[in-house]
Amino acid sequence: MTRFILFRQLISFFILCMGGLGLAYAQDNTTRDSEPLVGLESFMDGLMNAQLKNSHIAGGTVAIVKDGNVLLSKGYGYADVKNKVAVSGEHTLFRPGSTSKLFTYTAVMQLVEQGKIDLNADANSYLTQFQIPATYEQPITVRDLLTHTAGFEERFINMIVFDEKELIPMEDFLAKGLPERVRPVGQNSSYSNHAVAIAGLIVANVSGMSFDDYVEKHIFQPLGMNSTTFREPLPANLIGNMSHGYSYNPDTLDYHQEKFEMVHMLAPAGSSSSTASDMAKFMLAHLNNGTYKGVSILNPDTTAKMHSPLYSKDFGGHAMAYGFYQTSYKGLNMIGHGGDLLYFHSDMYLLPEQNFGIFMSFNTADTGETRNIVITSILEEYFAKEVEPVKSPDSFATKVANYVGEYQFMRHSSSDFTKSVGLLGGTVNVSAGEDNTLLIKPFGGKFAQVDEHLFVTTDFNSPDFSKVTFNLDDSGVANEIYLLPFMHAKKLGFFESPTTHQIILAICVLAFIAILISAFRQRKKHADVARSQLMLPRLLAVVSGLNIFFLVFYTIAFTINYKTLFASSAAAFVLVPIALTVLIISLIASLPLPYFCYQAWAKGQWNIKRRIAYTLVTVLVALMLILMNYYNLIGFKY
């Protein structure tokens, strides 16, 4: 969720240039005669049209509310590119993704309000279908499920499917594929879709209704959200209004219509579909003490509690509220939640002090910085005041090395082969920036020190990354960084770094290629060499070939399956076990190599250079196998 601000002057330029071009056709807008935010509709038209064009997005939808009123509910671009069906803010359904979690958290708090759920109770006390293992002494509470502090690993195999025949009941999916507990509760916050799904299952168990039925009866129907559902596939009355999801092909300059994504096996975490108009009603209820048009879904005390801090590291950074998370921008305090499926990307921000809310959603795979540009542009236009950037104390120049390093997010797989995603990097790099600042990439930008734990933005690149905090060890050196309230990362040592692992693999590949070339060149020269002596180079050649085949084949299998988050029922998934089988064969073939190396040295076989070369390659074979085992690639771990 990298985001970089487009300054107000640049936005004004785009509005002037793009506002009248009509890239996207705006439909079904709702505005008020009086304008609490003057010129809002024309401002949004220019902004959205420019963003759809520049980021190659097929369509988007926006709802903006303030002071109890809907100021804008409008669609831009196309819900159906082929048939040129325009997006309607009133009627077109988009996929809010993880923004759906706010409905789940609201449902939990309704039952807390009624005394039916105790946030401090062991989550297992509400689960009848399975039990969360007692990996650690302290049990996971319902509160831990809301703050992503349950200590689960990430597990995303089969999270998204494209055929309704592949859907199984949520309770069965959770029971069979519950993520492992990898840290004690409360130690760190690491985003977990499974934790939120468990919270939704608790709602169902306590209420005696299915989760879908509960949210419809107690949230959607009371608020008049008649075009919102968690059900998958969609109910018949909503199918015709659903926007397609798209991917953009920069080579052919066209949009490819993708299949409908189904995540109902973790429904409470993100399976909802809704319109901008309906999402406006939900925002208004939360901004008005839990009430919309005289109907209450929460009492004022519960609503206020939901918006208040529930978990943080107490270093002055943003906190997790009750499902919402805190952000800020130039002194403006915000709560909200983003959401991402493969082909839909959404955000909701509430500014309770300004009684303002915005929901936006886009229907194309890569939206770039669009969401960040939209929210920061609106804040700059209507709310933000110029603030003096914070400057680090002069003494920070001598301490910057304490924070520099590579940090890995705690949200990753520990038990299955998708841990290999870590080989791609995906880390946070902290380095010394200009003007006595820290430079944090790819998130955030430049930060100045407030105190030894807290750093604040100096370039206001993003409301989500306006503050970061660090945990320090006893020597004053940072060992963890906290970005968003649920994005905690630990500093990596040299041998833990993906960069180090990539270098090791590159050296291995070069050595394996050299062995194969040598074996080809020497094949005739070895005609008179004893067969027992030839076992070492020949076996090294076989193992090298298998390893290279594995790396190439697995990379292809990984690339093909990554875009579907490794749905095991997808046709391409069969490539993964084939690749893993090749690695197992390589492992078995590698077992005699140390013995043959010993024989070469003990019997003086080959010349000294060859013995050293063969021994080094044998060591590299072992290093690669150790690395592959570290990434759960030895065996069939899925």
Side-chain angles (χ1 to χ4, degrees), residues 14 16 20 26 36 70 104-106 134 144 194 234 247 282 316 386 422 452 467 474 501 567:
F14 276 127
L16 177 65
V70 179
T104 302
Y105 300 135
T106 299
D144 297 318
H194 287 74
L234 288 173
S247 56
F282 183 70
E386 290 302 316
E452 64 177 358
K467 297 180 181 180
D474 293 339
H501 299 164

Side-chain angles (χ1 to χ4, degrees), residues 207 262 366 620:
S207 67
M262 286 179 281
D366 184 6
L620 289 175

Side-chain angles (χ1 to χ4, degrees), residues 236-247:
N237 64 311
L238 297 178
I239 291 176
N241 290 330
M242 183 71 227
S243 170
H244 295 301
Y246 292 93
S247 56

